[in-house]
Amino acid sequence: MKVAPVAEGERIRQLDGIRGFALLGILLVNMPSFLYPIMFLPDAGMVNTHSEMDGWIRLLFNMFVQTKFYTIFSFLFGVGFFLFMHRAESKQLPYQSLFTRRLLVLLIVGMAHFVFLWYGDILHTYALAGFLLLLFYHRQEKTIKRWAWTLLIGVQALYALMLTVPEDLVPMPDQSPLIQKAINVYTNGSIIEWLQFRVTYEIPVVFSLEFIVILSVLPLFLFGFLAAKQGVFERTEEFIPAIRRVWWIALGLSAVLVPMIPLIQFGIVTFPASIWIAVQTFVTWSGLSLSAFYITSLLLLYRKERAKRMLKHLEPVGRMALSNYLSQTIIVVLIVRVGHLYGTPGLALGLVISLVIFTAQIFVSRWWLANYQFGPAEWLWRCLTYGKFVPMKRKGGSHAI
């Protein structure tokens, strides 16, 4: 059977818009780790010499950005899994082998991104966790729901347990030598020295946490899979009452969880655990509630014409999500390297850089998709998945997006 791209009429525009929105948040979340050795920094990832403005930006990030957008991305991966499998199956294609090949390509791309560019890559984790999704495709909805809730509650229970561990039982080693070494390497070191530092110090830490990260994203995959299987994004109007209920529940939970972050940070609310662990726990929990709030808010906004016209600008970015995710890393690494910025700028500059890059991506994505059917990374991913050349150029010239 002939392999063809998803037709314009088959695309679910809300998903493209939500994905584009998530990419902005992902860039904001990732920016500090592009600028500083976050992995080795104390005080919730802040340098000791940070300014008051940096402190407020970090707090706002923790409250409204940190963990919120990778959660959305994980949910959308589950949605994409079902749509890919279902559409391939309906076309009588070998959907399981195709999705396996798709994951293998993503794993290779993610590992290259991870090793050669930046330790914060999430693609390789998504690929590894994605193989587990194959076990659920033909399962009943109640079984999938049971697994999703069990995994989600189980992982969050571990976070809750960490709140009870006294701070003096979790010693924090002095990482000052590693911090300075990272700054020296990423500022003045050669590419070989970058790789040596990453392989020696950063990659082992990431791999040591890989299992818990996979357990964290898998239930989000399953919830996205369930939503797509039930037709939430294709027949949104039928689910508006349920979407409104989730919106109110998510808003209520966020109203409790988000304010806990500054209350803990300023010592108004205390736990046996350290302030850093307690803050990160509530950052994670609020990430679950706020991501649900953001997704349902966007689905409700898509029902209003004025909002739909505004959100339309995010759709090209979302359609090229893989290309834009990878290009964000490449652009920032080049800016930081050429400008000798690593370890020196404040978060305010990082925020400005993020907004400039994302704005540029909106325009570039719109132009690219007016002339081509896929983003460059998406095109390569599709060709390798199907094992055949897929035309990239749009037939008949450019089209408005």
Side-chain angles (χ1 to χ4, degrees):
M1 178 171 288
K2 183 181 178 181
V3 177
V6 175
E8 292 294 331
E10 289 184 78
R11 296 205 65 87
I12 303 173
R13 304 190 73 143
Q14 298 108 306
L15 287 179
D16 291 330
I18 295 170
R19 203 174 281 116
F21 174 70
L23 273 168
L24 171 58
I26 292 289
L27 179 56
L28 292 173
V29 167
N30 291 342
M31 183 58 70
S33 63
F34 288 133
L35 298 175
Y36 303 107
I38 294 293
M39 185 180 289
F40 312 116
L41 289 178
D43 191 22
M46 296 293 292
V47 293
N48 293 328
T49 56
H50 69 266
S51 67
E52 185 177 353
M53 179 181 290
D54 287 341
W56 284 109
I57 292 174
R58 179 75 267 175
L59 176 59
L60 291 173
F61 273 24
N62 283 341
M63 293 172 68
F64 301 108
V65 182
Q66 194 75 30
T67 76
K68 285 64 175 175
F69 290 90
Y70 100 82
T71 304
I72 295 176
F73 236 58
S74 302
F75 177 86
L76 293 176
F77 187 93
V79 174
F81 163 76
F82 174 79
L83 294 176
F84 180 91
M85 296 283 278
H86 180 68
R87 287 168 176 168
E89 185 180 23
S90 66
K91 295 174 182 177
Q92 299 181 329
L93 294 171
Y95 55 93
Q96 289 186 325
S97 60
L98 281 175
F99 190 73
T100 299
R101 196 183 306 166
R102 183 176 175 84
L103 288 177
L104 287 172
V105 175
L106 186 66
L107 179 60
I108 293 170
V109 172
M111 287 303 299
H113 183 232
F114 177 38
V115 173
F116 295 104
L117 286 172
W118 177 55
Y119 71 82
D121 171 79
I122 195 64
L123 300 178
H124 75 281
T125 302
Y126 280 7
L128 293 172
F131 286 108
L132 298 175
L133 277 176
L134 290 167
L135 302 174
F136 292 93
Y137 184 62
H138 288 299
R139 294 293 188 94
Q140 294 182 350
E141 288 186 14
K142 63 180 181 181
T143 302
I144 299 170
K145 192 178 296 184
R146 191 182 304 123
W147 271 95
W149 280 110
T150 300
L151 287 169
L152 184 70
I153 293 171
V155 172
Q156 304 318 310
L158 291 177
Y159 284 115
L161 228 100
M162 290 172 60
L163 290 175
T164 67
V165 180
E167 181 177 1
D168 54 6
L169 294 182
V170 186
M172 297 295 290
D174 181 17
Q175 300 278 51
S176 300
L178 270 181
I179 293 170
Q180 193 55 52
K181 186 177 180 66
I183 292 173
N184 291 338
V185 167
Y186 286 123
T187 301
N188 303 308
S190 66
I191 299 298
I192 298 300
E193 289 173 321
W194 285 22
L195 291 175
Q196 287 176 338
F197 182 84
R198 194 170 295 133
V199 170
T200 304
Y201 298 106
E202 295 176 341
I203 290 178
V205 174
V206 174
F207 278 156
S208 71
L209 300 172
E210 196 73 54
F211 181 68
I212 190 68
V213 176
I214 289 174
L215 287 183
S216 299
V217 301
L218 183 57
L220 304 174
F221 286 3
L222 293 174
F223 282 121
F225 170 81
L226 275 173
K229 186 178 178 67
Q230 292 168 349
V232 171
F233 298 97
E234 293 176 304
R235 305 189 310 277
T236 304
E237 285 301 314
E238 296 178 22
F239 292 88
I240 289 301
I243 291 171
R244 289 191 188 279
R245 283 196 299 273
V246 173
W247 187 88
W248 280 109
I249 292 170
L251 178 61
L253 288 172
S254 299
V256 174
L257 295 171
V258 173
M260 284 293 291
I261 297 169
L263 290 176
I264 294 169
Q265 184 168 316
F266 295 123
I268 299 171
V269 176
T270 60
F271 290 89
S274 69
I275 290 178
W276 183 84
I277 289 177
V279 165
Q280 293 309 304
T281 299
F282 279 89
V283 166
T284 299
W285 288 346
S286 63
L288 295 171
S289 62
L290 263 185
S291 65
F293 175 76
Y294 289 155
I295 291 171
T296 50
S297 294
L298 289 169
L299 286 175
L300 293 173
L301 284 171
Y302 258 100
R303 301 176 71 227
K304 303 179 183 298
E305 284 303 318
R306 184 176 179 183
K308 189 186 295 186
R309 287 195 297 272
M310 294 179 63
L311 293 171
K312 184 180 179 181
H313 298 295
L314 297 175
E315 293 171 13
V317 183
R319 286 181 61 181
M320 293 175 54
L322 181 59
S323 297
N324 283 318
Y325 174 76
L326 294 172
S327 66
Q328 286 174 357
T329 301
I330 294 169
I331 293 168
V332 178
V333 167
L334 285 174
I335 290 173
V336 172
R337 176 66 174 184
V338 173
H340 299 285
L341 298 176
Y342 195 83
T344 59
L347 290 181
L349 177 59
L351 177 59
V352 172
I353 292 173
S354 298
L355 295 176
V356 170
I357 290 174
F358 188 77
T359 302
Q361 287 186 320
I362 290 176
F363 289 101
V364 172
S365 299
R366 182 181 175 86
W367 171 82
W368 183 275
L369 290 173
N371 294 280
Y372 301 96
Q373 299 186 82
F374 319 100
E378 287 76 13
W379 173 79
L380 180 63
W381 195 12
R382 177 173 288 268
C383 290
L384 294 175
T385 296
Y386 290 100
K388 59 178 68 178
F389 178 82
V390 180
M392 180 189 281
K393 187 77 174 176
R394 282 187 176 275
K395 294 180 180 179
S398 65
H399 299 268
I401 300 299

